[in-house]
Amino acid sequence: MLKKLASLALVGAIIVAVPTMAFAEDASGTAPKAEAFHPLKQLLQEKAAAFGIATDGKTKEQIKAEIKSASEADRLARLQAAAAKLGIVTDGKSAEQLKTDLQAAVHTKLAAKADKLGVGSDGKTNKELREALKAAKAAKKSERDAKKAEALNKKAAKLGISTDGKTTAQVFAEIQSALQAKWAKRAKQ
């Protein structure tokens, strides 16, 4: 109970002291002017500077409108550049039309890759196709690695090297040293 009363007294003292400090006068007898910080205004100015828009003498609404139009123009330019890379005609198309065309072109490319790897692409989104392609590539890589390991194990058995509990790299190193010894022996003869 005593702690609660002490904390209430402390809060009360702070509440009483803050307004007094806010209206304090400086040495000249006038109240100091506080610089008003407006985070939204600062954000608008930073965005305008990023697009190279002058903000002097303009209202927030004017600045917002200019930033919006510059942003849309930048988006359209980026979409046109991406469409040009894929060979899509961009004349007279809006940003939304270009976006749709780009998504369709990417889907077509992904579907072709999926068909090449034997992955079904029917009814899948671009994201699902990418995941399926990644999984198929990983499966092919592991299959190749297994074939390489099997070939190394056969070669090791042929040379009389034990492969129990050894990694593929260790088996390869032993095969390599065994073959070098064999070739050196033949070279001496």
Side-chain angles (χ1 to χ4, degrees):
M1 183 74 166
L2 186 60
K3 287 183 181 179
K4 286 183 182 179
L5 288 175
S7 64
L8 286 175
L10 182 61
V11 170
I14 292 172
I15 290 173
V16 171
V18 171
T20 329
M21 294 176 138
F23 295 107
E25 295 181 0
D26 62 4
S28 65
T30 60
K33 291 185 179 179
E35 283 285 324
F37 176 72
H38 300 286
L40 295 177
K41 185 175 181 180
Q42 182 69 26
L43 181 64
L44 278 177
Q45 288 176 345
E46 289 174 4
K47 281 186 178 181
F51 286 112
I53 299 171
T55 59
D56 296 337
K58 295 180 183 176
T59 65
K60 287 182 193 177
E61 288 74 26
Q62 290 172 333
I63 295 170
K64 284 180 184 179
E66 287 185 31
I67 289 173
K68 185 176 181 180
S69 66
S71 176
E72 288 173 1
D74 184 53
R75 179 176 179 240
L76 182 62
R78 285 186 283 121
L79 287 171
Q80 286 174 339
K85 284 183 182 178
L86 294 175
I88 298 172
V89 178
T90 62
D91 295 337
K93 292 187 178 180
S94 70
E96 291 306 315
Q97 290 171 330
L98 285 173
K99 182 179 175 184
T100 304
D101 290 350
L102 284 169
Q103 287 175 341
V106 167
H107 185 76
T108 303
K109 279 189 166 189
L110 288 173
K113 286 181 182 179
D115 291 340
K116 187 176 179 182
L117 289 175
V119 176
S121 61
D122 295 335
K124 291 185 179 178
T125 64
N126 289 350
K127 184 178 181 180
E128 291 170 342
L129 279 174
R130 283 187 187 98
E131 290 171 359
L133 285 171
K134 188 176 180 180
K137 287 178 182 177
K140 277 202 168 204
K141 185 181 183 307
S142 65
E143 185 180 317
R144 278 192 312 266
D145 291 345
K147 283 183 180 179
K148 285 180 183 178
E150 184 180 335
L152 277 175
N153 288 341
K154 282 183 182 179
K155 186 71 170 177
K158 194 175 184 181
L159 293 172
I161 299 172
S162 174
T163 60
D164 294 338
K166 295 179 185 174
T167 65
T168 306
Q170 291 171 335
V171 172
F172 182 75
E174 286 188 28
I175 290 173
Q176 201 172 19
S177 64
L179 287 175
Q180 286 176 351
K182 184 177 178 181
W183 293 329
K185 187 177 179 181
R186 282 189 183 173
K188 289 181 182 178
Q189 292 178 354

